[in-house]
Amino acid sequence: SQQGEEDPQALSIQEGENATMNCSYKTSINNLQWYRQNSGRGLVHLILIRSNEREKHSGRLRVTLDTSKKSSSLLITASRAADTASYFCAEQGAQKLVFGQGTRLTINP
Amino acid sequence: SQTIHQWPATLVQPVGSPLSLECTVEGTSNPNLYWYRQAAGRGLQLLFYSVGIGQISSEVPQNLSASRPQDRQFILSSKKLLLSDSGFYLCAWSPGGDGEQYFGPGTRLTVT
């Protein structure tokens, strides 16, 4: 299977803390993307980082990419209750994305 | 702006019955279109994708088929459903093959 792995599978933190999720992938990529999914809903695109980039920011999100280790991380700073969701990384291949299994993030008030 | 629609939102079907799920995109032309299935608590499995009318690529051999009769319409079908076809089906589109995808709200299919 080409699917990568995400770590941890589940994460529970207090509101205001930072949350870090990691993703490992298996193939050479054009880019790597992160998505969020609220329970029972479709996925929402968060951020895309290209293979020649090492770090990217968007609001409270920070994504890093290490192509030598085939890994990426998503950091959410100053978490809020509304950040509770599942987060997926997806590696971009030819014409298609391959998604990881996701990290279930719970923010406790 | 672009929007993507899926229907129905939920569906309960008996084993052996046919299936037709529809996805339409508005506000763009010649999108790439995708069908995914998601098992409970799991990631997404790509089922089919299409880069143009009548062009379908199948990722996983299975009981399902896809068609793209119009530029912005993507249909997922089955002649006879199996219990293992239960899941959450998501349609997505992208403006090209190398960028972000935009997802519909999904269809929850339960095969009984």
Side-chain angles (χ1 to χ4, degrees):
Chain A
S1 166
Q2 286 185 301
Q3 277 189 321
E5 296 181 0
E6 295 189 56
D7 171 55
Q9 292 186 353
L11 179 62
S12 181
I13 61 174
Q14 295 300 118
E15 193 168 17
E17 294 180 340
N18 295 342
T20 300
M21 290 158 271
N22 302 297
C23 166
S24 61
Y25 58 92
K26 298 183 179 181
T27 63
S28 296
I29 57 171
N30 297 329
N31 64 64
L32 188 132
Q33 302 178 32
W34 285 88
Y35 289 78
R36 183 184 73 215
Q37 183 182 33
N38 289 89
S39 182
R41 307 292 293 275
L43 277 71
V44 174
H45 179 263
L46 295 176
I47 198 164
L48 180 154
I49 185 166
R50 300 204 175 277
S51 59
N52 60 353
E53 297 176 308
R54 292 296 168 260
E55 187 171 312
K56 200 162 185 179
H57 297 255
S58 177
R60 293 184 296 114
L61 306 180
R62 172 178 170 254
V63 169
T64 62
L65 180 66
D66 187 334
T67 54
S68 67
K69 296 181 180 178
K70 288 188 166 60
S71 67
S72 175
S73 68
L74 170 67
L75 168 68
I76 303 175
T77 60
S79 63
R80 305 167 181 170
D83 294 328
T84 293
S86 292
Y87 292 81
F88 296 90
C89 68
E91 51 187 281
Q92 177 75 60
Q95 299 289 349
K96 59 188 181 182
L97 290 174
V98 177
F99 284 83
Q101 294 299 301
T103 293
R104 174 69 189 167
L105 175 65
T106 301
I107 309 299
N108 302 304
Chain B
S1 64
Q2 301 88 4
T3 55
I4 179 169
H5 303 279
Q6 280 187 252
W7 62 89
T10 60
L11 191 58
V12 180
Q13 292 282 98
V15 168
S17 63
L19 173 74
S20 180
L21 302 181
E22 189 165 344
C23 172
T24 59
V25 181
E26 296 178 353
T28 188
S29 59
N30 197 32
N32 284 13
L33 296 171
Y34 307 85
W35 277 113
Y36 294 90
R37 177 169 60 202
Q38 184 178 32
R42 304 296 300 276
L44 276 68
Q45 178 187 36
L46 179 63
L47 302 176
F48 301 94
Y49 69 95
S50 172
V51 299
I53 295 175
Q55 301 178 60
I56 308 294
S57 296
S58 175
E59 288 296 299
V60 183
Q62 59 205 323
N63 187 40
L64 302 169
S65 62
S67 62
R68 185 171 177 173
Q70 300 180 43
D71 181 45
R72 290 168 290 177
Q73 184 184 31
F74 205 23
I75 297 172
L76 184 69
S77 303
S78 173
K79 292 182 180 178
K80 289 186 177 182
L81 283 169
L82 306 172
L83 286 174
S84 58
D85 291 323
S86 294
F88 191 48
Y89 288 82
L90 289 156
C91 180
W93 75 273
S94 69
D98 194 24
E100 57 262 42
Q101 294 184 11
Y102 302 93
F103 284 79
T107 294
R108 175 81 54 194
L109 172 66
T110 303
V111 182
T112 61

